[in-house]
Amino acid sequence: MSETLEGHLERIVYFNEENHYTVARLKVRGNPELVTVVGQLAGIAPGEVLKLWGSWEIHPKYGQQFKANGYSVSLPAKMDGIEKYLGSGLIKGIGPAMAKQLVDRFREKTLQVIERSPNKLLGVEGIGEKRLQMILKAWEDQREVRDVMIFLQGHGVSSGYSAKIFKEYGQNAIRVVRENPYRLASDVFGIGFLIADRIAEKVGIAKDAIIRAEAGILHVLEKVSDEGHVFVLYDQLLDRAEALLEIDRTALETAVRNLAASGRIVLEDFHLEGDPPKAMTAVYLKAFHAAEVGLANRLKALLSVPIKGIGIDARRTEKLVLQRLAIMLSKEQWIGLHTALSQKVSILTGGPGTGKTTLVKAILAVFEAAGKEVLLCAPTGRAAKRLSEVTGHEAKTIHRLLAYNFKSGGFQKNEKNPLDADVVIVDEASMVDTFLMYHLVKAVPMIAALILVGDIYQLPSVGPGNVLRDMIDSKQVPVVFLQEIFRQARESLIIVNAHRINQGFSPTISDSKHDTLQDFYFIQQEDPEKVLSTILELCCERIPDRFKLDPLSDIQVLSPMHKGIIGTTNLNRVLQQALNPSDDIIERMGRTFKRGDKVMQIRNNYAKDVFNGDIGTISGIDRDIEKITVKYDGRAVDYKFVELDELVLAYAVSVHKSQGSEYGAVILPVMTQHFILLQRNLIYTGVTRAKELVVLIGTKQALAIALRNDRPQKRMTRLCDRMQLSS
């Protein structure tokens, strides 16, 4: 039987980024002890009054707690709640200290004074006319927001998203939500289909309404792209949508036809190889179809234009490389060099220690000696910075190279305004997804050469597609595989083991009794709780003490999953407590940040010039003007409090998110509970992120499972097929 619980939110103990599962502590009238509340409680903030519907349960480990099935939020009425509410940074000009002064002065009537008699605030020390106007403007903004909040909360929307909805639609917010709440899923970051669907039910949209079927189809296609696929097969799309929406398949077929007719999706018939070939229909989001088709066509166009010679013969090239680099290239590297110099588009690939960086430096030396304009780029800021350091040549991220204009919403560099270059070299090319590669290749001049450098054995791009692998498989682009491990690289077990892992062999483990090759360790541990405690010990004591590496800047914990005791969400919570003693704390969007935290940007934000996967450090929290400052490689970027759902803690990150980065030490848990993600290329990618030390911790059974699994899920793309088709 459902019960009701009401009280003041004191603090948030735990919040899961993926499903909004929250553990909170509530102060309830008549109960001297704080009550533990659990449930999907996105967007709540300390100081607010929560009214929850649910039931009591006894947790075997944590005891009695209230499991919430639904909730509403209202402004606090008591002094302690008002102080916490105002001190949370909700109103610009009022921080914790000022909140205390106001409540001490006006007590329970504080919010009424701000609303009805704001001039009384001038009698409070520290509030002058300028600050009063700041507070009043913020309060007026909040009053409009509160009108929206009251409506939205009555329809299942949390307070954390209300301000974002208001910012997007203004006074039209209520009208938009009533007419088509599914717009929220595409227009407002953080509100996905499931939240929009709950709102739709509240405003009376029928379960079998065509607007819901269309939104559900688009949601499945977006989930497919999140999984790395560029398209989904028609029947699979309907199967997934039917399971999600629980409506008749006929309605879904109508929705697909409507979306195709309106140009939001693209249906494309093709034949799957077999005997006989099987007729199939691919379903694309419009943008991904345009990107895949455009990328294939542009690559074929580039390949069709002859390359201009550089005017340097082979003998002079050899002499020039020797003079500039003071080294002799290997036979494989010479082949790679001559391929890059003579081909319009080329791919240079190989594992760690095979000389890719040296080869890039040689290519640079020869092209620059010939007077060619060479541009270097990489998909992430970290990869671009490293490329600059090792080559001594400026390198940019692809986004910055293409000069994204956030006002117009597009790249300034394109086929009509191409890059000023004779040669474009892309490092870490395996990380580049279909969409970004399309825009890059569009901007490469038809007279220029394109050289892609990367490691195809790493995980594919986070975004949709498997571009580098598809280009190689098409056999339309010259490819050079670097396989020889150089002598210096063979002195590192990290590099030796990376190649062993790639071949499916168990890694060689360091023996602490010897002085050499002590950079790769495996700690056997089956209990997840003990794995967690060992990771803490490694980060806080053992690695810093023995290897003199800084826990924050040099050590990175990687995990295959977000969920579970040793998933990134829980690891970040525990590592934050252990590594950051700061009491300068802000709680927003169900997340707790401290000054000094290592954080990661989780979406491309062109206005701020920060991108998905960028890692920085919180350098300041200003409650009066509601912002935090994050430093990325020394560059300060400000975030309003309402934007903090773009950030997550980064003491632990997924292996996928680590691509393009290098760390002094990598700690990687390998457990059978990660079974679904245990793949050879995942372990390989994690290991190759480390420069000085790798520590695997878990079970050898889990490691063996990963090493045997060299057939990760195939990504649904047609780039290879398109490149093989004649124009």
Side-chain angles (χ1 to χ4, degrees):
M1 187 175 68
S2 181
E3 297 185 51
T4 302
L5 184 70
E6 187 170 356
H8 285 83
L9 176 61
E10 288 294 309
R11 65 177 182 272
I12 295 171
V13 178
Y14 172 77
F15 180 75
N16 186 302
E17 303 284 351
E18 291 189 332
N19 58 14
H20 304 288
Y21 180 79
T22 305
V23 179
R25 303 281 278 168
L26 208 67
K27 188 174 183 179
V28 178
R29 179 185 297 179
N31 192 334
E33 297 184 357
L34 295 180
V35 173
T36 299
V37 175
V38 300
Q40 273 69 32
L41 306 174
I44 57 177
E48 293 175 324
V49 177
L50 300 186
K51 187 173 183 179
L52 307 114
W53 300 270
S55 58
W56 292 97
E57 65 177 20
I58 303 296
H59 190 279
K61 184 172 182 180
Y62 300 110
Q64 188 180 54
Q65 54 190 25
F66 189 82
K67 185 177 181 180
N69 298 320
Y71 67 105
S72 64
V73 182
S74 59
L75 296 179
K78 292 192 174 182
M79 290 172 56
D80 56 348
I82 294 171
E83 181 180 337
K84 185 170 288 190
Y85 179 72
L86 291 176
S88 67
L90 185 72
I91 306 298
K92 288 183 181 179
I94 302 179
M98 181 56 66
K100 186 176 190 311
Q101 286 190 65
L102 290 171
V103 174
D104 286 346
R105 178 75 171 266
F106 301 112
R107 306 183 70 77
E108 290 90 349
K109 295 183 178 180
T110 301
L111 298 183
Q112 294 177 26
V113 168
I114 297 174
E115 175 73 28
R116 300 172 187 170
S117 308
N119 285 333
K120 290 183 179 180
L121 300 182
L122 292 171
V124 177
E125 184 180 354
I127 296 183
E129 190 62 40
K130 184 177 180 181
R131 191 167 193 174
L132 175 62
Q133 293 307 313
M134 181 192 299
I135 293 171
L136 291 182
K137 184 181 184 305
W139 185 260
E140 182 62 29
D141 291 344
Q142 280 303 119
R143 179 163 54 188
E144 292 182 339
V145 171
R146 283 198 301 276
D147 291 340
V148 176
M149 284 173 62
I150 291 170
F151 171 81
L152 293 175
Q153 287 173 15
H155 293 84
V157 183
S158 67
S159 60
Y161 290 116
S162 297
K164 294 191 122 190
I165 294 172
F166 182 81
K167 182 180 178 181
E168 180 69 29
Y169 304 118
Q171 292 296 336
N172 293 320
I174 294 175
R175 178 183 60 79
V176 168
V177 171
R178 279 182 172 146
E179 291 177 358
N180 184 5
Y182 296 105
R183 280 183 58 183
L184 302 177
S186 57
D187 294 348
V188 182
F189 177 71
I191 296 184
F193 171 80
L194 298 180
I195 294 176
D197 198 36
R198 288 200 296 270
I199 299 169
E201 183 180 12
K202 295 275 188 179
V203 298
I205 292 177
K207 191 173 183 179
D208 60 352
I210 196 67
I211 191 175
R212 180 172 184 262
E214 291 175 2
I217 292 291
L218 293 174
H219 172 67
V220 172
L221 285 169
E222 286 162 2
K223 291 293 288 182
V224 163
S225 69
D226 289 343
E227 295 162 8
H229 305 296
V230 182
F231 70 87
V232 64
L233 295 175
Y234 180 82
D235 288 340
Q236 293 176 358
L237 171 65
L238 293 184
D239 288 343
R240 290 180 64 162
E242 191 173 21
L244 171 72
L245 302 174
E246 298 178 335
I247 61 177
D248 185 78
R249 203 175 182 92
T250 304
L252 294 172
E253 291 173 340
T254 301
V256 170
R257 287 195 298 271
N258 290 351
L259 291 168
S262 65
R264 299 181 71 182
I265 67 174
V266 175
L267 275 63
E268 184 176 75
D269 294 329
F270 70 101
H271 284 84
L272 205 61
E273 288 186 7
D275 189 16
K278 188 176 181 181
M280 310 292 284
T281 299
V283 186
Y284 291 80
L285 287 169
K286 180 182 177 181
F288 290 126
H289 184 265
E292 187 176 82
V293 171
L295 174 57
N297 290 340
R298 186 70 178 182
L299 285 170
K300 288 192 287 187
L302 280 172
L303 288 163
S304 70
V305 178
I307 190 170
K308 292 184 179 180
I310 61 171
I312 300 178
D313 60 27
R315 181 172 295 181
R316 188 180 163 206
T317 298
E318 185 174 341
K319 184 177 179 182
L320 192 151
V321 171
L322 188 59
Q323 287 175 339
R324 295 282 182 98
L325 304 183
I327 60 170
M328 284 295 296
L329 299 181
S330 69
K331 183 178 179 180
E332 287 180 344
Q333 287 174 318
W334 277 117
I335 294 172
L337 176 61
H338 289 302
T339 300
L341 298 178
S342 62
Q343 300 295 326
K344 202 69 170 53
V345 182
S346 57
I347 295 173
L348 310 174
T349 184
T354 57
K356 294 192 298 296
T357 299
T358 299
L359 179 52
V360 170
K361 291 164 71 174
I363 293 168
L364 267 171
V366 177
F367 274 123
E368 289 183 335
K372 302 295 184 181
E373 181 66 29
V374 183
L375 294 179
L376 293 181
C377 63
T380 68
R382 291 160 288 163
K385 181 181 179 183
R386 192 174 71 250
L387 184 60
S388 294
E389 292 170 349
V390 298
T391 61
H393 190 290
E394 182 187 19
K396 296 181 178 180
T397 64
I398 298 174
H399 293 95
R400 293 187 183 115
L401 186 71
L402 298 180
Y404 188 86
N405 186 329
F406 68 90
K407 291 183 179 178
S408 64
F411 292 106
Q412 296 181 55
K413 294 296 182 179
N414 49 46
E415 67 271 35
K416 295 179 181 178
N417 180 31
L419 296 165
D420 183 15
D422 299 303
V423 184
V424 177
I425 300 177
V426 185
D427 196 22
E428 296 284 0
S430 65
M431 292 178 60
V432 186
D433 62 35
T434 302
F435 188 78
L436 187 56
M437 187 67 84
Y438 166 56
H439 286 284
L440 173 62
V441 172
K442 270 204 307 183
V444 174
M446 293 303 293
I447 61 168
L450 175 64
I451 302 168
L452 304 178
V453 183
D455 183 349
I456 59 166
Y457 301 113
Q458 289 187 30
L459 290 168
S461 56
V462 174
N466 199 354
V467 175
L468 194 65
R469 169 61 71 180
D470 284 348
M471 288 176 65
I472 292 172
D473 290 346
S474 76
K475 302 190 183 332
Q476 304 300 302
V477 180
V479 182
V480 175
F481 290 88
L482 301 176
Q483 296 176 308
E484 179 185 346
I485 307 176
F486 285 87
R487 181 186 59 79
Q488 186 175 359
R490 289 198 300 269
E491 295 175 0
S492 166
L493 272 184
I494 295 173
I495 291 176
V496 170
N497 282 335
H499 288 272
R500 287 182 60 83
I501 289 167
N502 190 38
Q503 294 164 5
F505 299 125
S506 295
T508 300
I509 307 303
S510 295
D511 184 351
S512 58
K513 296 179 182 178
H514 298 88
D515 294 329
T516 60
L517 296 182
Q518 292 190 41
D519 60 4
F520 198 105
Y521 295 87
F522 186 96
I523 299 176
Q524 177 76 23
Q525 184 54 258
E526 297 183 5
D527 183 351
E529 292 280 4
K530 291 183 179 178
V531 169
L532 180 62
S533 63
T534 304
I535 289 173
L536 280 175
E537 187 182 353
L538 288 166
C539 289
C540 299
E541 301 172 16
R542 291 166 64 177
I543 293 177
D545 290 347
R546 181 170 178 183
F547 296 92
K548 310 305 178 188
L549 296 175
D550 183 82
L552 290 178
S553 60
D554 297 329
I555 302 173
Q556 185 63 57
V557 179
L558 305 179
S559 180
M561 298 186 74
H562 296 292
K563 299 178 181 179
I565 294 174
I566 48 176
T568 57
T569 301
N570 190 55
L571 281 167
N572 273 313
R573 181 182 64 83
V574 174
L575 287 167
Q576 181 193 48
Q577 293 174 353
L579 295 175
N580 188 356
S582 173
D583 57 3
D584 192 358
I585 300 172
I586 186 72
E587 292 182 356
R588 278 294 181 278
M589 311 301 284
R591 302 172 187 180
T592 301
F593 295 108
K594 301 181 181 181
R595 182 193 295 269
D597 272 341
K598 182 159 65 170
V599 293
M600 175 185 285
Q601 175 80 11
I602 58 171
R603 66 175 298 212
N604 290 338
N605 189 322
Y606 297 99
K608 296 183 187 299
D609 201 22
V610 289
F611 303 99
N612 190 358
D614 286 352
I615 289 181
T617 303
I618 295 177
S619 59
I621 299 175
D622 191 325
R623 291 167 181 80
D624 287 341
I625 58 174
E626 294 187 347
K627 76 169 187 180
I628 72 166
T629 301
V630 179
K631 283 195 173 179
Y632 297 95
D633 292 324
R635 184 174 68 93
V637 177
D638 291 337
Y639 291 80
K640 297 176 183 177
F641 283 175
V642 75
E643 298 174 318
L644 293 186
D645 57 349
E646 295 188 15
L647 296 175
V648 295
L649 295 175
Y651 298 96
V653 301
S654 69
V655 179
H656 248 123
K657 291 286 190 181
S658 74
Q659 288 178 266
S661 299
E662 279 190 347
Y663 313 104
V666 163
I667 301 171
L668 176 60
V670 185
M671 304 287 288
T672 52
Q673 68 188 79
H674 296 153
F675 180 87
I676 192 171
L677 291 174
L678 288 177
Q679 300 169 359
R680 186 185 299 178
N681 61 353
L682 182 140
I683 305 297
Y684 174 83
T685 301
V687 165
T688 55
R689 299 307 90 208
K691 292 186 292 185
E692 300 176 47
L693 177 67
V694 169
V695 181
L696 303 182
I697 176 169
T699 68
K700 292 187 176 178
Q701 178 190 4
L703 181 59
I705 291 170
L707 294 175
R708 287 195 299 269
N709 183 11
D710 65 341
R711 293 183 177 274
Q713 183 185 26
K714 176 178 170 57
R715 292 193 165 188
M716 303 298 283
T717 82
R718 298 201 62 231
L719 178 62
C720 177
D721 297 339
R722 296 184 197 280
M723 290 188 66
Q724 291 173 338
L725 293 172
S726 57
S727 300

